[in-house]
DNA sequence: ATTACTTATTAAAATATTTTAATTATTATT
DNA sequence: AATAATAATTAAAATATTTTAATAAGTAAT
């Protein structure tokens, strides 16, 4: 049986001319994927290849069914050049974004188009085999209902919170009950190659590839939710660290308090700057007898959730706004530290709590100004996430795409 | 007048075959500089070039006077291959390491050999034009006494503490009293191309290129001195951030104290974890009536310096050891945070205070274990600097070399 | 519609590189 | 010293790529 184009593309044994041609093909696909569609002249100039050679290779790629001639394109005068780019329907990728109470699943084509999106599918994330089994079933169901043949789906990207080693496929915070890496287990149940990724990192990649990032290369993405995660982009590349555990920002020892964190330590940033901390503060305020629309709607024994506080703030509830400002101040102190260390061009606020918009952005901004060196923080823009709750799912799809195209 | 080889090497206007040949030459030089000397067969395999072509290009480079045939080398059996490498005396680089009370200057050849080292040349760093003038004179004197022609010196790397933008050549913490960038000003007085660098970053590069780093790619270097600096290596590359201000680790807001830092803010790490903090603590202990060899040798009104405490600790003075342990614990809490964020393979302790060896390393290690996630810190080795006080000067030389060879 | 102009595409020639084969150099062994 | 073994070097042939030139295609203006 002949190899598929993508297997051929990653053929390690090629040497000499064959190797150079493969490399050139990768560069062309990389240009299409990362930069834009292009004319023969563009590509020839950019990749330092003569026009006749480029023409030949492009024709090859069209033969391979991976590149498309988009036809004539505007130019100042004279004969108009043809534009070439990836053939969208030549390959597909699935992204899965796992949350505590639901999952999001989406299908993307080769040109980043989201072909199908299924959001907020009910699912309870628990650290046991049944929960894992259910997850696989949900993914299989999604695949079965797709209007495309399964073998066109080249890979599945799965976001999961906690420590994930994407290179080995092990997850340490969830579903870690087997010798085999989690990615292999899911792979065997679904029948498609699986790539795991930390949730905040995937979101960061989503924002970077098709969100708020416009050319910035050194970018920090904060996933402010029940916990607080960090995705780091350095020189346009996701940063992993030795084993992929980078970005454990929620557990830096920034406070001198006695609040015990999930991680077992005290004084973590998360204890004073997260959705979890927000819920704790609200509860305390209620006990102290503060007034708020938050306390009126809830029944006996019903717990107030982070989502309720976000909704209340967006409805101008003073207590909610005050508490979010307090949380924001603490997060801002954490970000100030990141700015001193990274001198980033851009910091993106994402995750559920970023949905409160300026209510959280402004106190964060103030704290940054207070706690970081001004020469450094003058360099740094602070923007709200553009993709919002879609960041994870988009990032998951695009990360698989990136891996399978062996883009750098 | 013909261009020199190195000017030719960075010729941007080359296209087609000329461009590819230049690129190949750069790759070969890069291999020699970053990896090792090599035989024709090695290079051909590594760079995916045929043996006849490689032979021709190498001969070119020998003609250019930049590569040398080192002669036969051992091999299992049969004819022994020739080893090729850089011609050491084909180019030289100067490194200058500026400290508060002295400067170090060194000359390195193309093969990283330190040809001449002049350490602890008296110099008082003050933020005025006279001090800058003196600096340039000292450099000129050093150059004049060298046994090699000036035009063989391709560049000067200068380490200076504080915020430095290496791309523009501006220094913001020292000598910032002109429209023109500092690098250009020195250049015009010395007559050789100048590259500025932040001191901790240069030290980190020194350790990385010829110090304690053995293949690790994600490495943090701490310069623990009067202040506390951080050099960041990511994927084997120095990390700069947007304007080169990355690594302002000394000024992260980690403490909730009332001690005012030089930077104008309160609660900076430096206020509790630096040579400066150490000196403050010693003074306080003295006022409290503690006993120590530290207090015996000093005359009336003479201030105790960080260096005295280091010396005392290395002579087993209990108070000095205790205070260094306290400082170490605070630094360790800071490093714990870096480990959670970076998941590095290696953290290097450098700068004056690292000269106390295990006296500072062990409390740092304990604090790291206490304050960072164990899954993450298990990945991280903690080693003492190998180059010690030479790190800066070696880094300075090697950084210019890297830039002028346009190594990545 | 014709013309002038611009630019892409194709074709042919020139150059460059790889591939293959032959030769030469070196070393260990007999 | 001769021989066999090994590997570098060189040479020649086969490919591949670039370069240059010629042709075709498309556009705008007359």
């Amino acid at each position: 049986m002949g190899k598929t184009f993508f297997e051929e593309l990653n053929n390690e044994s090629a040497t000499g001319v064959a190797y150079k041609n493969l490399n050139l093909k990768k560069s062309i696909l990389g240009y299409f994927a990362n930069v834009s569609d292009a004319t023969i002249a563009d590509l020839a100039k950019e990749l330092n290849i003569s026009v006749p050679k480029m023409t030949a290779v492009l024709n090859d790629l069209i033969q391979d069914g991976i590149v498309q001639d988009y036809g004539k394109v505007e130019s100042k005068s004279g004969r108009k050049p043809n534009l070439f780019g990836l053939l969208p329907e030549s390959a597909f990728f699935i992204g899965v974004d796992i949350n505590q109470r639901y999952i999001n699943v989406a299908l993307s084509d080769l040109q980043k188009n989201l072909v199908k999106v299924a959001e907020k599918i009910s699912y309870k994330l628990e650290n046991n085999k049944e929960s894992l089994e259910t997850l696989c079933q949900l993914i299989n169901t999604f695949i079965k209902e797709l209007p495309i043949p399964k073998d066109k789906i080249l890979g599945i990207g799965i976001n999961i919170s906690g420590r994930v080693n994407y290179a080995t496929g092990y997850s340490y915070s969830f579903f870690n009950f087997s010798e085999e890496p989690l990615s292999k287990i899911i792979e065997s149940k679904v029948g498609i190659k699986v790539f795991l990724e930390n949730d905040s990192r995937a979101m960061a990649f989503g924002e970077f590839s098709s969100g708020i990032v416009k050319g910035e290369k050194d970018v920090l993405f904060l996933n402010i939710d029940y916990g607080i995660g960090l995705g780091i982009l350095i020189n346009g590349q996701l940063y992993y660290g030795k084993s992929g555990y980078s970005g454990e920002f929620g557990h830096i020892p920034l406070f001198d308090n006695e609040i015990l964190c999930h991680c077992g330590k005290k004084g973590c940033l998360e204890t004073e700057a997260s959705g979890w901390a927000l819920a704790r503060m609200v509860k305390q305020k209620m006990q102290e007898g503060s007034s708020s629309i938050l306390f009126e709607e809830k029944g006996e024994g019903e717990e107030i959730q982070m989502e309720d506080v976000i909704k209340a703030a967006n409805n101008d509830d003073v207590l909610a706004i005050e508490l979010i400002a307090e949380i924001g101040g603490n997060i801002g102190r954490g970000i100030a530290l990141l700015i001193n260390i990274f001198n980033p061009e851009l910091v993106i606020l994402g995750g559920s709590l970023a949905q409160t918009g300026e209510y959280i952005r402004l106190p964060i901004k103030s704290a940054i100004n207070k706690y970081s060196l001004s020469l450094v923080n003058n360099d740094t823009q602070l923007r709200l996430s553009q993709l919002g709750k879609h960041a994870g799912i988009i990032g998951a799809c695009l990360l698989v795409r990136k891996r399978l195209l062996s883009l750098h």
Side-chain angles (χ1 to χ4, degrees), chain A:
Chain A
M1 191 188 129
K3 285 187 179 174
T4 67
F5 173 77
F6 287 97
E7 283 163 353
E8 199 61 59
L9 193 68
N10 292 311
N11 175 9
E12 301 270 318
S13 65
T15 60
V17 175
Y19 170 87
K20 280 169 192 170
N21 275 329
L22 271 186
N23 246 15
L24 180 54
K25 284 187 176 181
K26 279 190 201 174
S27 304
I28 295 170
L29 295 180
Y31 191 91
F32 287 152
N34 285 334
V35 187
S36 69
D37 298 337
T39 65
I40 291 183
D42 295 339
L43 288 170
K45 196 171 175 194
E46 200 62 35
L47 305 179
N48 281 285
I49 293 291
S50 67
V51 167
K53 173 68 178 167
M54 187 55 76
T55 309
V57 178
L58 271 179
N59 284 332
D60 249 36
L61 286 169
I62 291 172
Q63 280 296 312
D64 291 329
I66 200 82
V67 162
Q68 187 180 4
D69 182 343
Y70 282 101
K72 300 281 172 248
V73 76
E74 276 311 303
S75 71
K76 275 168 234 141
S77 62
R79 176 173 170 178
K80 294 178 175 172
N82 283 33
L83 195 69
F84 295 84
L86 299 172
L87 181 63
E89 59 269 24
S90 58
F92 295 87
F93 313 100
I94 287 179
V96 180
D97 190 37
I98 306 179
N99 290 279
Q100 290 291 326
R101 299 207 175 80
Y102 58 89
I103 65 171
N104 302 320
V105 191
L107 180 79
S108 149
D109 67 21
L110 191 57
Q111 276 287 54
K112 298 194 195 186
N113 305 305
L114 288 187
V115 179
K116 187 174 175 186
V117 182
E119 282 184 307
K120 296 241 173 186
I121 300 174
S122 260
Y123 169 73
K124 197 153 181 217
L125 174 59
E126 283 170 342
N127 200 10
N128 58 42
K129 292 195 177 183
E130 291 70 42
S131 184
L132 174 57
E133 189 58 45
T134 312
L135 176 68
C136 294
Q137 278 171 15
L138 288 174
I139 296 173
N140 275 324
T141 307
F142 179 84
I143 293 171
K144 229 171 261 156
E145 289 169 359
L146 291 175
I148 55 155
K150 189 169 166 182
D151 65 353
K152 284 255 176 177
I153 303 170
L154 299 189
I156 304 182
I158 302 182
N159 304 343
I160 192 159
S161 74
R163 267 122 268 156
V164 173
N165 187 330
Y166 104 93
T168 62
Y170 279 100
S171 159
Y172 294 91
S173 308
F174 286 99
F175 304 142
N176 187 20
F177 28 68
S178 167
E179 278 292 300
E180 230 186 333
L182 179 59
S183 65
K184 290 286 165 205
I185 297 174
I186 303 179
E187 217 164 291
S188 70
K189 296 193 182 181
V190 178
I192 297 175
K193 196 141 180 43
V194 166
F195 300 88
L196 298 184
E197 187 58 272
N198 168 275
D199 55 351
S200 301
R201 207 140 48 202
M203 292 167 86
F205 191 73
E207 286 291 347
F208 182 78
S209 307
S210 52
I212 196 80
V213 181
K214 311 282 176 235
E216 291 90 355
K217 294 290 180 197
D218 297 325
V219 178
L220 301 176
F221 176 89
L222 281 122
N223 180 17
I224 312 171
D225 221 278
Y226 277 101
I228 182 161
L230 170 67
I232 303 169
L233 277 151
I234 283 179
N235 197 22
Q237 305 285 117
L238 279 182
Y239 174 72
Y240 286 89
K242 183 178 183 193
S243 306
Y245 309 147
S246 77
E248 283 297 344
F249 183 54
H251 303 290
I252 63 171
L254 198 58
F255 291 93
D256 200 9
N257 64 26
E258 288 296 314
I259 305 171
L260 199 69
C261 183
H262 330 273
C263 74
K265 304 196 187 271
K266 289 177 195 170
C268 291
L269 178 65
E270 237 170 71
T271 63
E272 306 266 8
S274 66
W276 183 61
L278 183 63
R280 195 195 67 236
M281 289 174 177
V282 169
K283 215 166 169 183
Q284 195 181 331
K285 285 285 177 189
M286 186 161 65
Q287 284 162 357
E288 287 170 4
S290 293
S291 69
S292 159
I293 53 172
L294 271 168
F295 308 141
E296 289 163 12
E297 290 165 359
K298 287 282 159 180
E300 192 67 31
E302 233 184 311
E303 289 264 319
I304 295 171
Q305 305 286 341
M306 173 182 69
E307 287 82 354
D308 302 318
V309 188
I310 294 170
K311 208 178 288 174
N314 287 333
N315 285 323
D316 297 331
D317 179 71
V318 175
L319 180 71
I321 292 172
E322 278 174 4
L323 289 178
I324 283 169
E326 190 175 339
I327 292 282
N330 292 338
I331 294 174
R333 192 171 142 209
I335 296 179
L337 163 169
L338 293 177
I339 288 177
N340 274 347
I341 293 173
F342 283 100
N343 181 214
E345 294 174 86
L346 172 62
V347 171
I348 307 170
L349 304 176
S352 307
L353 270 169
Q355 311 270 328
T356 57
E358 295 295 298
Y359 286 138
I360 194 153
R361 195 181 146 269
L362 292 180
I364 288 179
K365 184 71 189 161
S366 305
I368 289 176
N369 292 341
K370 183 171 169 194
Y371 290 114
S372 64
L373 298 175
S374 56
L375 182 70
V376 183
N377 76 44
N378 274 340
D379 269 356
T380 307
Q381 294 205 49
L382 184 70
R383 297 194 205 132
L384 290 164
S385 157
Q386 186 177 81
L387 304 180
K389 47 184 82 149
H390 309 292
I393 196 74
I394 292 174
C397 288
L398 295 186
L399 266 172
V400 205
R401 172 173 175 270
K402 173 189 148 95
R403 295 218 168 98
L404 289 164
L405 282 177
S406 51
L407 304 178
H408 52 257

